[in-house]
Amino acid sequence: MTTTLNVNGRDERLDIDPATPVLWALRDSLGLQGTKFGCGAAQCGACTVHLDGAATRSCVTPISAAAGRKVSTIEYVTDGHDKVGRAVHEAWVKHDVAQCGYCQSGQIMSATAFLKSLPKGKKPTEAEIDAAMAGNICRCGTYARIRAAVSDAARAIA
């Protein structure tokens, strides 16, 4: 069965089972390797993408649920197409957030969706940042740097 997904602003026709998780459609069918497989149970956040702007765990979201909606990946969000994503990415580099780096695409996608959800000019508190990022696990434990980067990105886009 053919499913059309709008991925990073382009319509992509996929001839795969509609129950296939978005993660595997992105990685295996479209060659977008930035979205990572972590736990396969929507618990770690490594597979986070944006579905109509909302942070979504792609490992458990079938492509049938994404059809007719906009899917954005880390490749799109950090390559200059997205002002907030770019600010988050720059803050990540500034704060040297990544150690092993495996979770970082999911972390950046969650942070970007969070900052976009805030009222214009709102600077989030540390508690708000922690709550927004709670679903993303960092095996290296760089949570303080993640919080600082999200805070900096919020200031940059204000």
Side-chain angles (χ1 to χ4, degrees):
M1 180 170 186
T2 300
T3 302
T4 301
L5 294 182
N6 184 286
V7 179
N8 298 337
R10 294 176 35 148
D11 284 337
E12 303 283 357
R13 293 177 49 83
L14 302 171
D15 290 319
I16 56 177
D17 184 338
T20 301
V22 169
L23 172 68
W24 300 118
L26 294 171
R27 291 182 62 81
D28 294 344
S29 298
L30 299 176
L32 296 169
Q33 302 290 308
T35 304
K36 304 298 184 202
F37 174 78
C39 66
Q43 300 296 307
C44 73
C47 68
T48 303
V49 298
H50 293 171
L51 190 56
D52 289 339
T56 303
R57 303 302 194 242
S58 66
C59 70
V60 296
T61 304
I63 62 169
S64 60
R69 301 172 71 189
K70 293 182 180 184
V71 179
S72 298
T73 68
I74 188 71
E75 291 89 351
Y76 185 81
V77 168
T78 60
D79 75 354
H81 287 96
D82 186 301
K83 176 185 173 190
V84 176
R86 191 74 193 132
V88 170
H89 186 247
E90 288 171 1
W92 242 246
V93 172
K94 174 184 173 187
H95 287 277
D96 198 23
V97 172
Q99 282 187 17
C100 82
Y102 197 82
C103 70
Q104 297 310 300
S105 61
Q107 298 276 2
I108 289 170
M109 295 301 284
S110 291
T112 301
F114 166 62
L115 292 176
K116 285 182 173 185
S117 75
L118 295 174
K120 187 156 179 72
K122 165 96 167 86
K123 293 180 182 67
T125 65
E126 286 189 0
E128 289 170 328
I129 294 169
D130 289 346
M133 301 302 292
N136 291 81
I137 296 172
C138 175
R139 292 180 271 191
C140 299
T142 65
Y143 298 110
R145 288 187 280 189
I146 290 168
R147 185 183 314 112
V150 173
S151 184
D152 264 11
R155 280 192 295 279
I157 63 171

